[in-house]
Amino acid sequence: MNRRSFLAGSSAAVTLVGASRIAVAQPAGDAPTFSTGNSRWQSTYDAALNVLAANVRTLPYVSKPVLIEGSVYQGIWQECGPHEALVYRKFRPDVARNSHLTFFELQRADGQLPANNKIAETSFGQIQMVVPIAATAWELAHATGDSELLEAAYRGCSAWDAWLMRYRNTRGSGLIEGFCTYDTGHDNSPRWKGMPNQCPNKDARTHHPVASLPRLCPDLSATVYGGRRALAHMARALGRRGDADRWDTRANDLRDAILKQLYVAEDAAFYDLDAQNQFVRVRSDILTRVCGEHVVDQRLFDQLWARQLHNPQAFWTPYPLPSIALDDPQFVRPIPANSWGGAAQALTALRAGRWFDHYRRSAEFSIMMDRWCEALQRDPTFHQQMDPVSGVFTHGADQPGYSPAALVMVDYSWRLVGVTEEPDSLHWNVRPRHPAARDARMAMRTDTGAHVTMRYASGGADLQLSGKAIARLEGGAARLITDKQGAARALVGIEPEAQPLLLRLPGRSPRNVTITANQVIAL
């Protein structure tokens, strides 16, 4: 597939440099705008954007700015940095691009990607991955028509997959092995109690001589599964159909292995399997990471949801989702700084958008988003983690200015009362009675170049695409899904209670609808 055919249909700004097309940063005037008459909400939202702007930095070895983690973390990590920059891309598309290319530019000749690039060092001492960089790179390249990023990501992520299978499949299971705590980024978690933080001599190809190492890890394997699915998409976009089929097969084989070897049905949980073939029975956010890559089907997810994720005694705490189930005896209290031993982490909250809607739990997601935004407004200093019961953020050693927490406030605001863009659709999230909807107005530019606006007034919201009226919703809350041209496809119930509403579409008679939680009504 040539570059022109990949870019066809995309109106992303591009410029020709030699033989390749490179996406150009949007001017500042094209950044999304969000205004609300709720001054408390607005001030927290604006403070979040200020944190993110301050966390755009240029790091050693790479000459272009990236979004760093912030707080005490002065660098960019593979497990989260590319995903965070993807969420931020409408504000700084150049930073989103750079935050991916950084890892491919620093990739070693044998295929190993760096775990991070910090002011102090670039580390290869662990694999530290959660959200697959292949998945976020594919989404960004596809959305912006960036063929250079597509090709760099395909090369880099293919080599990374080969490296992982060479050095992190020593037991021949086909699953990805964890050698140390930092591999999964689970600092201070009972999951890794007694295990080394990093690989010996900062060499991620080896592990310490501990009898229970290496472990077969569900979340690391899920990351590679999601990466292979993305590599299949990339291969098709590049015209490599044979490669795409092979990536699909390898992804499916890995998914089957995760479900067969690492799921314990009696506990409704995924666990590590150590080198002595013993499960490490700690119920942790492994569960959300496996769901984040859509490893489980809807039927199995519904079981996980009922027994674990939506269980108030386990993960559905007043401020979801804790890093260890509340009723797990190894939940760590009092909660220390940087603790994946129980604290509700901003990173987990930010990643929730990758799976709640996929598994048809949009209404429950609204509860989680409201709780997090409430906590952030009480303490708008943007710290890393909070107590999942009280909603109090950890201070002390955890410093303010943490990018994931700021991104949660921005991302959740748009998911609650604004419009979000998916690969082939627009999601108009209308909640006229929501606190953030008071006299609110949102506007942004889509990937196709259209200008979308939402205006709340008189108990409803007016939706426009490039000056053309798309719809008006009045009364209750619902999500209107349209295609990129604004044609209505469906309504989705996004609140736990039934919502009576009036839908007005151009050229159609007004329609009174009552929509229930997570219901989908085709239009």
Side-chain angles (χ1 to χ4, degrees):
M1 181 179 183
N2 61 34
R3 293 183 175 92
R4 179 172 296 176
S5 60
F6 173 67
L7 290 163
S10 171
S11 62
V14 294
T15 185
L16 191 63
V17 179
S20 64
R21 293 178 182 269
I22 301 175
V24 176
Q26 295 172 350
D30 265 355
T33 59
F34 181 100
S35 65
T36 171
N38 185 323
S39 59
R40 185 169 177 256
W41 198 291
Q42 186 73 59
S43 64
T44 308
Y45 180 91
D46 291 343
L49 287 181
N50 289 337
V51 164
L52 295 167
N55 283 343
V56 172
R57 308 278 184 84
T58 301
L59 298 174
Y61 313 115
V62 178
S63 62
K64 295 179 180 179
V66 298
L67 180 65
I68 68 165
E69 199 75 357
S71 183
V72 297
Y73 308 102
Q74 297 298 298
I76 182 170
W77 274 255
Q78 188 198 151
E79 74 156 292
C80 48
H83 177 234
E84 292 162 24
L86 179 70
V87 175
Y88 191 46
R89 76 177 180 88
K90 292 285 186 180
F91 298 88
R92 288 293 303 267
D94 59 324
V95 168
R97 187 175 197 272
N98 300 339
S99 296
H100 285 81
L101 290 175
T102 285
F103 289 93
F104 304 133
E105 290 171 8
L106 295 173
Q107 189 169 23
R108 285 178 166 171
D110 67 356
Q112 185 182 7
L113 289 173
N116 56 54
N117 187 36
K118 301 181 289 187
I119 290 175
E121 65 172 342
T122 300
S123 177
F124 293 85
Q126 68 268 7
I127 58 175
Q128 197 151 354
M129 57 185 190
V130 180
V131 179
I133 188 173
T136 57
W138 162 244
E139 185 173 336
L140 182 61
H142 181 66
T144 59
D146 188 340
S147 62
E148 183 177 74
L149 174 60
L150 174 69
E151 291 166 353
Y154 187 73
R155 286 193 306 272
C157 295
S158 297
W160 176 229
D161 187 277
W163 187 95
L164 289 166
M165 292 311 294
R166 180 178 180 184
Y167 295 107
R168 291 307 187 95
N169 182 35
T170 63
R171 294 164 62 177
S173 66
L175 295 159
I176 305 303
E177 297 166 352
F179 288 1
C180 63
T181 301
Y182 291 164
D183 276 345
T184 63
H186 274 133
D187 300 23
N188 303 309
S189 171
R191 173 189 182 182
W192 289 99
K193 186 176 180 179
M195 294 296 107
N197 282 334
Q198 202 168 44
C199 293
N201 302 313
K202 295 186 177 182
D203 181 358
R205 297 172 298 180
T206 63
H207 60 78
H208 289 275
V210 177
S212 61
L213 292 177
R215 295 179 176 183
L216 308 181
C217 294
D219 47 350
L220 295 177
S221 300
T223 300
V224 172
Y225 166 75
R228 288 177 180 174
R229 291 174 64 228
L231 281 162
H233 288 304
M234 285 191 257
R236 287 191 178 89
L238 292 166
R240 302 176 182 179
R241 295 191 175 275
D243 285 358
D245 291 342
R246 283 189 287 275
W247 285 120
D248 279 334
T249 298
R250 295 183 66 198
N252 291 334
D253 289 346
L254 181 52
R255 176 182 179 273
D256 291 344
I258 296 169
L259 295 171
K260 181 178 180 180
Q261 299 182 55
L262 303 180
Y263 180 62
V264 178
E266 65 188 52
D267 295 353
F270 289 89
Y271 298 127
D272 292 339
L273 187 66
D274 72 17
Q276 297 164 321
N277 286 320
Q278 299 295 313
F279 284 116
V280 182
R281 291 180 180 264
V282 178
R283 284 177 294 126
S284 72
D285 70 311
I286 284 176
L287 210 56
T288 65
R289 295 179 177 191
V290 170
C291 291
E293 299 313 312
H294 310 163
V295 170
V296 302
D297 61 15
Q298 187 67 46
R299 184 172 178 270
L300 179 54
F301 174 83
D302 290 342
Q303 297 175 34
L304 302 177
W305 180 255
R307 294 184 57 188
Q308 300 287 359
L309 295 169
H310 201 234
N311 180 351
Q313 305 305 314
F315 290 96
W316 200 248
T317 51
Y319 296 87
L321 297 153
S323 45
I324 299 291
L326 195 64
D327 61 351
D328 192 295
Q330 298 195 65
F331 187 103
V332 177
R333 281 198 182 278
I335 295 175
N338 185 24
S339 173
W340 289 84
Q345 293 282 344
L347 275 173
T348 302
L350 186 63
R351 294 163 182 160
R354 293 174 53 78
W355 59 273
F356 264 85
D357 289 331
H358 175 83
Y359 288 113
R360 306 171 193 168
R361 292 294 172 182
S362 302
E364 291 84 355
F365 194 21
S366 72
I367 296 173
M368 178 172 171
M369 291 190 288
D370 277 335
R371 297 278 170 79
W372 270 87
C373 289
E374 172 193 325
L376 289 164
Q377 288 172 80
R378 284 199 310 267
D379 181 359
T381 53
F382 303 102
H383 281 74
Q384 173 182 337
Q385 62 181 36
M386 64 176 166
D387 187 309
V389 176
S390 69
V392 174
F393 281 92
T394 305
H395 284 229
D398 282 350
Q399 297 298 305
Y402 186 59
S403 288
L407 285 165
V408 166
M409 187 66 202
V410 174
D411 185 51
Y412 280 15
S413 294
W414 285 85
R415 289 179 183 272
L416 282 166
V417 297
V419 57
T420 56
E421 185 171 12
E422 299 298 325
D424 63 348
S425 61
L426 297 172
H427 289 189
W428 310 77
N429 304 294
V430 179
R431 289 179 170 90
R433 294 191 290 268
H434 193 277
R438 187 189 310 160
D439 301 322
R441 182 183 184 278
M442 299 88 187
M444 74 169 190
R445 186 78 64 182
T446 71
D447 295 328
T448 58
H451 187 67
V452 302
T453 59
M454 288 182 62
R455 293 184 178 88
Y456 285 88
S458 304
D462 294 295
L463 318 181
Q464 292 188 340
L465 184 67
S466 296
K468 177 184 175 183
I470 296 301
R472 176 173 170 82
L473 276 73
E474 299 174 7
R479 173 183 299 145
L480 177 66
I481 298 179
T482 72
D483 63 19
K484 292 294 187 77
Q485 291 71 47
R489 290 180 175 175
L491 284 174
V492 178
I494 54 175
E495 287 293 322
E497 301 81 20
Q499 301 286 310
L501 57 95
L502 177 64
L503 172 64
R504 300 180 186 273
L505 297 173
R508 301 194 200 181
S509 298
R511 181 177 175 182
N512 286 293
V513 175
T514 296
I515 192 165
T516 58
N518 303 314
Q519 182 183 6
V520 178
I521 300 175
L523 298 173

